[in-house]
Amino acid sequence: MKIFELFNPNMKRNEFDLHDDLIFFMRNDPQFYRKEFHPFQQKFNRHCDAGRSVSAKAFEPMVHQAFEQYKNMFPVEGIEDKLTERDIQEICEKLQGEETNFYHEDKKKTAEKKDDIKRTI
């Protein structure tokens, strides 16, 4: 949620993008990130390092947990008790794409640093 949304008690569900907001929450809430998201990222990276792919479905349990914490922390009028299957699928696919991109960008940066070190030696 944006800062002005936090202080608006009349906020309606259709006035913000729940998918982006939930992903932002997952990445930026200190407790959720430390307990859920970061350990998942580490496991995701290990799978990628081993050459295995990670399906979008793997993100589902974490998305469900995030939504439960999110809706308790930010009561918004009209927010659903549960996410629809379509919402879950879209959020998971977006997370999978973002995490895959972050993984490959990190590997590319690491390789570039190693090349820079070899050139200076």
Side-chain angles (χ1 to χ4, degrees), residues 31-42:
Q31 285 185 313
F32 187 84
Y33 183 82
R34 185 181 78 246
K35 290 182 180 179
E36 305 294 334
F37 198 79
H38 184 69
F40 184 87
Q41 276 183 321
Q42 297 302 310

Side-chain angles (χ1 to χ4, degrees), residues 65-76:
Q65 286 182 317
F67 182 69
E68 288 301 314
Q69 289 182 26
Y70 175 88
K71 74 178 183 179
N72 292 332
M73 197 176 274
F74 305 107
V76 174

Side-chain angles (χ1 to χ4, degrees), residues 1 9-16 18 67 70-71 74-83 87:
M1 288 194 154
N10 300 320
M11 190 69 173
K12 304 271 192 284
R13 161 64 176 98
N14 61 354
E15 295 176 357
F16 67 99
L18 180 61
F67 182 69
Y70 175 88
K71 74 178 183 179
F74 305 107
V76 174
E77 184 181 319
I79 197 164
E80 302 83 8
D81 283 337
K82 293 185 177 186
L83 292 171
D87 285 334

